[in-house]
Amino acid sequence: MPFPSSGGIFAVVERRCADGAPTPPLRLFDGSRPSGTPLTPAQARRLLYDRSACPEARTALWHQIAERVHMDSDGRHDWPTAVLWLGLPGLRRAAFKITSRFGAEREDVEAELATCYLEALAAVDPQDADPGGTVLRSASTRAWAVWRTTYLERAVDDVEGAGGIPVARDGGDLWQADYDPPPDSCGLSATLRITVPAHRIEGVRLGALARAWGLADTAAGVGYSGRGRQVAKLSLRRPGRDR
C-alpha cells in the first residue's frame, strides 16, 4: 500500500479513494435480499457511522471490512487502502485529540493511527458484536499511549526552569542540594544536583525542595537514624565547599 511522501496519510488516502470502487463490493444485509445489497465505499462509510442504522447491519459491514484487510492490492482489488479510508472518520477524532493534547506532529500521529487501526482490524474477533468500536478504540488507545510516553520523555530547552526554581546566573551566593542513592541500588542511580540562590533557601524545607523535583517518593527525609535500610541521602551545601 504505497503512498506519496508529501502530505499527511489521511489526506493522501482521501484523494486516492474518493472515486474508487474496489471489488468485490461490500454488501448490506438488511433482510431485503438473501445475498445482500451491493454498496459503494461511500455508501458503506456513511452507514458505518450512522448511529440510527441497524446495529447488525453495521456489524456485518465491519466484519466484511476486516476480511478485506488481507486482500492484495493489484489495481482492481485495492482494498487495503480502501479499508483505511473507511476508518478515517473515527481515526480523525483520535488524531485531533492526540495532537491537541500533546502537541504532536499531525503527520506522525496519522501514520501511527493508521498502523494501529490496520493491525487491530486484521486481528478482529469474528464473534465480536461491535468490531468497529473495538478496532477504533484499540487504535486510539495504542496511539495515545505512544504519545503519552513521548510527552513524558520529551527534552526541554530550559533546564533551569524545569523544576520551577530560578537559578542565579552570577554564580555568587548559591546553595546546592545533592541527591545520592545508596550503592548498588536499583532505580535512580545518578547523582541529582540542584542549585538555587541562597536567599531562596531561607524558609524552604528540604522536603518541599524534594517535592518540587519529584523526589518526595524516594527521599522521605533528611536524616538517617540507623534503623532499617537506607534508601537515599539528600545533602545541602554551598558550591565549592567540602561537605
Side-chain angles (χ1 to χ4, degrees):
M1 186 169 53
F3 296 106
S5 58
S6 60
I9 188 173
F10 289 1
V12 173
V13 171
E14 281 287 2
R15 291 194 298 268
R16 180 168 178 174
C17 298
D19 301 317
T23 56
L26 297 172
R27 291 183 174 272
L28 172 63
F29 293 95
D30 58 358
S32 59
R33 296 184 183 179
S35 60
T37 304
L39 294 174
T40 65
Q43 291 172 330
R45 190 159 86 163
R46 285 194 297 270
L47 184 60
L48 288 172
Y49 300 94
D50 183 0
R51 295 294 181 183
S52 64
C54 174
E56 291 77 10
R58 294 169 58 202
T59 296
L61 271 179
W62 276 112
H63 281 302
Q64 293 176 63
I65 294 168
E67 294 173 356
R68 283 155 174 75
V69 172
H70 306 285
M71 289 187 175
D72 294 331
S73 175
D74 60 2
R76 293 183 303 107
H77 305 81
D78 196 12
W79 268 113
T81 307
V83 161
L84 178 55
W85 181 81
L86 290 167
L88 291 186
L91 296 177
R92 281 200 180 94
R93 290 193 288 267
F96 175 78
K97 293 179 180 178
I98 293 173
T99 53
S100 299
R101 173 64 179 84
F102 300 112
E105 293 292 336
R106 180 73 180 221
E107 291 80 3
D108 295 337
V109 173
E110 290 182 357
E112 184 67 27
L113 279 168
T115 300
C116 294
Y117 166 80
L118 293 174
E119 290 177 352
L121 198 57
V124 72
D125 185 351
Q127 304 303 319
D128 192 338
D130 183 21
T134 299
V135 168
L136 293 173
R137 283 192 300 271
S138 174
S140 177
T141 300
R142 289 175 56 190
W144 186 277
V146 169
W147 263 271
R148 180 175 56 200
T149 302
T150 303
Y151 181 80
L152 293 175
E153 296 177 350
R154 74 193 188 286
V156 295
D157 295 329
D158 185 11
V159 178
E160 295 176 352
I165 302 177
V167 178
R169 298 184 179 277
D170 55 9
D173 199 10
L174 301 175
W175 287 83
Q176 285 183 172
D178 292 347
Y179 174 86
D180 296 315
D184 302 324
S185 64
C186 60
L188 184 63
S189 59
T191 297
L192 177 61
R193 175 167 296 174
I194 309 167
T195 305
V196 295
H199 73 275
R200 290 293 306 277
I201 212 64
E202 295 180 2
V204 180
R205 294 183 179 181
L206 211 51
L209 185 61
R211 285 194 300 273
W213 283 82
L215 303 176
D217 294 333
T218 54
V222 184
Y224 175 53
S225 64
R227 297 189 301 272
R229 180 175 60 88
Q230 182 180 2
V231 176
K233 179 175 62 179
L234 190 66
S235 62
L236 187 67
R237 63 185 177 87
R238 290 180 180 274
R241 297 187 179 184
D242 296 333
R243 298 184 184 182

